[in-house]
Amino acid sequence: MTFRFRPLLALVIAFGVTTTAAFAQSAADMGASKPRKVSELPLQPDADEANAALISAHLLTRFHYDAQPLDDAMSAKIYKLYFKLLDGEKVFFTQEDMAKFAKYKDQFDNAIWNKDLAGPFDIFNQYILRAIDRMTYARGLLKQGFDFNTNDSYVIDRKKADWPKDKAELDDLWRKRTMNDWLRLKLAGKSDDDIRKTLDKRYANYIDRVKQLDGQDAFQTFMTAYANSTDPHTDYMGPRAAENFDISMKLSLEGIGAVLQQRDDYTVIRELVPGGPATKSGKLHVGDYVMGVGQGESGPVQDVVGWRIDDVVNLIRGKKDTTVRLEIVPADQGTDGKHEMITLVRKKVTIEEQAAKKKVVEVTDNGVTRKIGVIELPMFYSDFGARSEGDKNFKSATRDVAKLLGELKAEGVQGVVIDLRNNGGGSLYEANELTGLFIDKGPVVQVRDARGQVQVQGDDDPGMAWSGPLAVLVNRGTASASEIFSAAIQDYGRGLVIGTQTFGKGTVQTLIDLNRFAADPDAKPNFGALKMTVQEFFRINGGSTQLRGVTPDIQYPSNGDDKDFGESTYDNALQWTQIAPADYKPVADMKAYLPQLQQLHDARVAKSPAWQLMLDELTQYKKLADRTSISLNYDQREAERKQLDAMQAEFRARHKAIDGNTAAALEDQSQLDDGLNPNERSLKTELKEQEEAKKAADPQLQETAHVLYDAIGLINANPKLAAEVLPYGGKQGETASLASTNGQVSLPTPMVEPGASQAPKPAASSSSTK
């Protein structure tokens, strides 16, 4: 999950850190004479976009939690953020360009109120031209090669740098960027001819993707700048983004059940969703190329070679029980293989990858073994539409977790860990309901609206799905609804919170369909949606999670990302505050045990090879992340490379000693940095690495299970205190009513979602499910 701003183009980052979505998702050759969907310049706003902007402004200036006028001051904020989204690394525009754009600085408010978006679109059009120009310049540099015997260095983080003074300075910047790309491949052992071919293809691909940017991309970027200028978590969602957000919340869609990805000019099958039409057909396989898409039994087949992935997605998705035909080439035949036609009937497909999952971890100490159940919850999802329609099988995080808890109890676990690492939030309703699985009844969260009115939400139904020992594992990516749940568990003393400081998002958003405000709904407008901050939530103890997040009871070492990742990194984040506590009574208190648990934890990790390896890798990660520039001298980089390779080899050896066969695949990765971007490697290699990563040891999860093991031991050793630690005097693993999972939705349902601010992405984005 990514919360921080990411530059549209971060072509060259040292030591194999990946580049932008444009480069990551394709590798097209501009010389290929294949059909493409290329946008016509200049891009122009349409009436729907102008109306959507105006409606959004009325909503934001009247109903936002911290409503601010759309005036010259706000225009200046939008202007600054718009260029941050377009050129955050300051590699496209010069100071001379910015001087010309300065006339727009106080005009964006007028552009929205007057429904005249020519200014924002002018800037976006100039961005497209400049991006193409820069890539064309980089391609030209490849013909002559580079001298790596100089003392040149390249600044790898330009977010705080000035724009280059003029074209000459910009050219020098791009010379160094291209040199670094070349040097990375050279250090990986590539020949000059291979390097030239790889980079030319990479840069040509970027030009392709930039040329496919359209008016919706321009409008999405501008409106994101406006929405994010009000607060970090208010977002405008164009029609494409709104549909994908809906899918992510309900974990289902209507389509064929295949994850597609852009590779070269082609759309390929990356994964097949279990139980979906594509899987059941037995005719589609991972790696197959999608050459064309036809609608119905006999509709014309549209050639999709060279298309942006979201356009292909739009053709393949559709209403359930309708027919779609795919013209494919099997993976083993290559792109020149024989074409085959496959007919599929679309169905409702559930995306299980993001659903709650369970496993059992066995922990042994001093001859005593205990089973610890682990439930991993990637997000707080809920299909409110299916629920309101009476679908008994509607998707819900709470329902899924309740079912998994029942299964874990049947397996005889003695404690449960809820793993919320990198869970960025989701439904506020689900956070409340999920907490109800672990408390008898009582308040869970307090919510304050823009008028200052506070409502207490909680669990009114008695009974628990799990009343035994509990731990919640968190990290910096734990945000929003996850913080509500973690804070409530902590405030009730219901369980231990373990990990690193959480994100610190304490605001509530609601999703507004802008089409509802159309003057003529029969015209079927396509205005998109506005995810707007309307409330702030507070812990039941009265404190806010805003900025401060949740502080774990047992803290693990941070990876150092807190300096540029988390609520505190946003310039316009709301400040921390507090209100009166809710009427609640803690049901247990582990504070008396924390010193002993901390002592046991410290002693154990000091002797743990896996934990020490994790610390060493974190140290190296921080060292690399803190570098602001790198040398472009071959000898110096080669020396650095050898040091890093040796360290990486040591890490691999230690992983193998700890993980056994699960780390065997790491031996094949002899190079620390192969110089390639994602999608320039084979799909088979990518998928293999993905699977091996899932098998790798997880020292933080293992240690969390051991901390909970210790807590159970302390409880058992002191029966007199057990009633103070286990809620309501309940026994470990006691069966309880699930009535709390059967409540009704109270509409409108606010959504709690961190919401990344997205830069405009050259057309091919990450893999997408159909």
Side-chain angles (χ1 to χ4, degrees), residues 46-58 112 115 117 219 514 517-519 525 527:
D46 62 29
D48 274 2
E49 289 164 348
N51 284 319
L54 184 60
I55 293 168
S56 297
H58 282 299
I112 294 174
K115 298 201 297 184
L117 302 178
F219 182 66
L514 299 181
F517 303 94
F527 293 163

Short mmCIF file of all heavy atoms in Angstrom, two decimals, residues 46-58 112 115 117 219 514 517-519 525 527:
data_model
loop_
_atom_site.label_atom_id
_atom_site.label_comp_id
_atom_site.label_asym_id
_atom_site.label_seq_id
_atom_site.Cartn_x
_atom_site.Cartn_y
_atom_site.Cartn_z
N ASP A 46 -13.90 18.48 -21.47
CA ASP A 46 -15.26 18.40 -22.00
C ASP A 46 -16.25 18.94 -20.97
O ASP A 46 -15.88 19.30 -19.85
CB ASP A 46 -15.62 16.98 -22.44
CG ASP A 46 -15.58 15.97 -21.28
OD1 ASP A 46 -15.83 16.37 -20.13
OD2 ASP A 46 -15.31 14.78 -21.54
N ALA A 47 -17.50 19.01 -21.35
CA ALA A 47 -18.52 19.62 -20.50
C ALA A 47 -18.71 18.84 -19.20
O ALA A 47 -18.91 19.43 -18.13
CB ALA A 47 -19.84 19.71 -21.27
N ASP A 48 -18.65 17.50 -19.28
CA ASP A 48 -18.81 16.70 -18.06
C ASP A 48 -17.72 17.03 -17.05
O ASP A 48 -17.97 17.11 -15.84
CB ASP A 48 -18.75 15.21 -18.40
CG ASP A 48 -20.10 14.66 -18.82
OD1 ASP A 48 -21.07 15.45 -18.87
OD2 ASP A 48 -20.20 13.44 -19.08
N GLU A 49 -16.50 17.21 -17.52
CA GLU A 49 -15.39 17.50 -16.61
C GLU A 49 -15.56 18.88 -15.98
O GLU A 49 -15.33 19.04 -14.77
CB GLU A 49 -14.07 17.39 -17.37
CG GLU A 49 -13.73 15.95 -17.72
CD GLU A 49 -12.67 15.81 -18.78
OE1 GLU A 49 -12.32 16.83 -19.43
OE2 GLU A 49 -12.20 14.68 -18.98
N ALA A 50 -15.97 19.84 -16.74
CA ALA A 50 -16.19 21.18 -16.19
C ALA A 50 -17.29 21.15 -15.13
O ALA A 50 -17.18 21.78 -14.07
CB ALA A 50 -16.55 22.15 -17.31
N ASN A 51 -18.36 20.40 -15.40
CA ASN A 51 -19.45 20.29 -14.43
C ASN A 51 -19.01 19.52 -13.19
O ASN A 51 -19.39 19.88 -12.06
CB ASN A 51 -20.66 19.59 -15.07
CG ASN A 51 -21.43 20.51 -16.00
OD1 ASN A 51 -21.63 21.68 -15.70
ND2 ASN A 51 -21.85 19.99 -17.15
N ALA A 52 -18.23 18.47 -13.38
CA ALA A 52 -17.75 17.69 -12.24
C ALA A 52 -16.87 18.55 -11.34
O ALA A 52 -16.95 18.45 -10.10
CB ALA A 52 -16.98 16.47 -12.73
N ALA A 53 -16.04 19.39 -11.92
CA ALA A 53 -15.19 20.28 -11.13
C ALA A 53 -16.03 21.26 -10.33
O ALA A 53 -15.76 21.51 -9.15
CB ALA A 53 -14.22 21.02 -12.05
N LEU A 54 -17.05 21.83 -10.97
CA LEU A 54 -17.90 22.80 -10.28
C LEU A 54 -18.68 22.16 -9.14
O LEU A 54 -18.77 22.71 -8.03
CB LEU A 54 -18.86 23.44 -11.28
CG LEU A 54 -19.76 24.56 -10.74
CD1 LEU A 54 -18.93 25.71 -10.20
CD2 LEU A 54 -20.72 25.04 -11.81
N ILE A 55 -19.25 20.98 -9.38
CA ILE A 55 -19.98 20.28 -8.33
C ILE A 55 -19.05 19.95 -7.17
O ILE A 55 -19.41 20.14 -6.00
CB ILE A 55 -20.62 18.99 -8.90
CG1 ILE A 55 -21.71 19.34 -9.91
CG2 ILE A 55 -21.19 18.13 -7.78
CD1 ILE A 55 -22.19 18.14 -10.73
N SER A 56 -17.85 19.48 -7.47
CA SER A 56 -16.88 19.16 -6.43
C SER A 56 -16.54 20.40 -5.60
O SER A 56 -16.44 20.32 -4.36
CB SER A 56 -15.59 18.60 -7.05
OG SER A 56 -15.84 17.39 -7.74
N ALA A 57 -16.40 21.54 -6.26
CA ALA A 57 -16.08 22.77 -5.53
C ALA A 57 -17.20 23.15 -4.57
O ALA A 57 -16.95 23.56 -3.42
CB ALA A 57 -15.82 23.90 -6.52
N HIS A 58 -18.45 23.04 -5.01
CA HIS A 58 -19.58 23.34 -4.12
C HIS A 58 -19.58 22.42 -2.91
O HIS A 58 -19.82 22.87 -1.77
CB HIS A 58 -20.90 23.21 -4.89
CG HIS A 58 -21.20 24.37 -5.79
ND1 HIS A 58 -21.38 25.66 -5.32
CD2 HIS A 58 -21.36 24.44 -7.13
CE1 HIS A 58 -21.65 26.48 -6.33
NE2 HIS A 58 -21.63 25.75 -7.45
N ILE A 112 -12.27 26.80 -12.20
CA ILE A 112 -13.32 25.88 -11.73
C ILE A 112 -14.67 26.58 -11.66
O ILE A 112 -15.68 26.07 -12.16
CB ILE A 112 -12.92 25.30 -10.35
CG1 ILE A 112 -11.67 24.42 -10.51
CG2 ILE A 112 -14.08 24.48 -9.76
CD1 ILE A 112 -11.09 23.91 -9.21
N LYS A 115 -16.05 27.22 -15.06
CA LYS A 115 -16.10 26.02 -15.91
C LYS A 115 -15.24 26.18 -17.17
O LYS A 115 -15.61 25.77 -18.25
CB LYS A 115 -17.55 25.68 -16.28
CG LYS A 115 -18.43 25.34 -15.08
CD LYS A 115 -19.65 24.52 -15.46
CE LYS A 115 -20.58 25.26 -16.37
NZ LYS A 115 -21.82 24.48 -16.64
N LEU A 117 -11.54 25.12 -18.00
CA LEU A 117 -10.35 24.38 -17.56
C LEU A 117 -9.21 24.44 -18.57
O LEU A 117 -8.32 23.59 -18.56
CB LEU A 117 -10.73 22.92 -17.30
CG LEU A 117 -11.84 22.69 -16.26
CD1 LEU A 117 -12.15 21.21 -16.14
CD2 LEU A 117 -11.45 23.28 -14.91
N PHE A 219 -7.68 15.65 -16.40
CA PHE A 219 -8.67 16.13 -15.44
C PHE A 219 -8.48 15.44 -14.09
O PHE A 219 -8.57 16.09 -13.04
CB PHE A 219 -10.08 15.87 -15.98
CG PHE A 219 -11.17 16.38 -15.08
CD1 PHE A 219 -11.32 17.74 -14.86
CD2 PHE A 219 -12.04 15.50 -14.45
CE1 PHE A 219 -12.32 18.22 -14.02
CE2 PHE A 219 -13.04 15.97 -13.62
CZ PHE A 219 -13.19 17.34 -13.40
N LEU A 514 -20.90 11.86 -7.95
CA LEU A 514 -21.19 13.20 -8.45
C LEU A 514 -22.31 13.21 -9.48
O LEU A 514 -22.91 14.26 -9.74
CB LEU A 514 -19.92 13.82 -9.05
CG LEU A 514 -18.75 14.00 -8.08
CD1 LEU A 514 -17.56 14.64 -8.80
CD2 LEU A 514 -19.16 14.86 -6.88
N PHE A 517 -25.78 14.81 -8.81
CA PHE A 517 -26.01 16.26 -8.83
C PHE A 517 -26.12 16.81 -10.25
O PHE A 517 -26.10 18.03 -10.44
CB PHE A 517 -24.89 16.97 -8.07
CG PHE A 517 -24.73 16.51 -6.66
CD1 PHE A 517 -23.83 15.51 -6.33
CD2 PHE A 517 -25.50 17.05 -5.64
CE1 PHE A 517 -23.68 15.07 -5.03
CE2 PHE A 517 -25.37 16.62 -4.32
CZ PHE A 517 -24.46 15.62 -4.01
N ALA A 518 -26.24 15.93 -11.21
CA ALA A 518 -26.34 16.37 -12.60
C ALA A 518 -27.66 17.10 -12.83
O ALA A 518 -28.71 16.70 -12.30
CB ALA A 518 -26.23 15.18 -13.53
N ALA A 519 -27.61 18.16 -13.62
CA ALA A 519 -28.83 18.90 -13.94
C ALA A 519 -29.80 18.03 -14.74
O ALA A 519 -31.02 18.15 -14.60
CB ALA A 519 -28.48 20.16 -14.71
N PRO A 525 -24.59 11.43 -17.35
CA PRO A 525 -23.28 12.06 -17.22
C PRO A 525 -22.27 11.07 -16.62
O PRO A 525 -22.63 10.05 -16.04
CB PRO A 525 -23.55 13.22 -16.26
CG PRO A 525 -24.70 12.74 -15.44
CD PRO A 525 -25.57 11.94 -16.37
N PHE A 527 -19.50 11.91 -14.27
CA PHE A 527 -18.78 12.90 -13.48
C PHE A 527 -17.73 12.29 -12.55
O PHE A 527 -16.89 13.01 -12.01
CB PHE A 527 -19.75 13.72 -12.63
CG PHE A 527 -20.66 14.62 -13.43
CD1 PHE A 527 -21.80 15.15 -12.86
CD2 PHE A 527 -20.38 14.92 -14.76
CE1 PHE A 527 -22.65 15.97 -13.59
CE2 PHE A 527 -21.22 15.74 -15.49
CZ PHE A 527 -22.36 16.28 -14.90
#
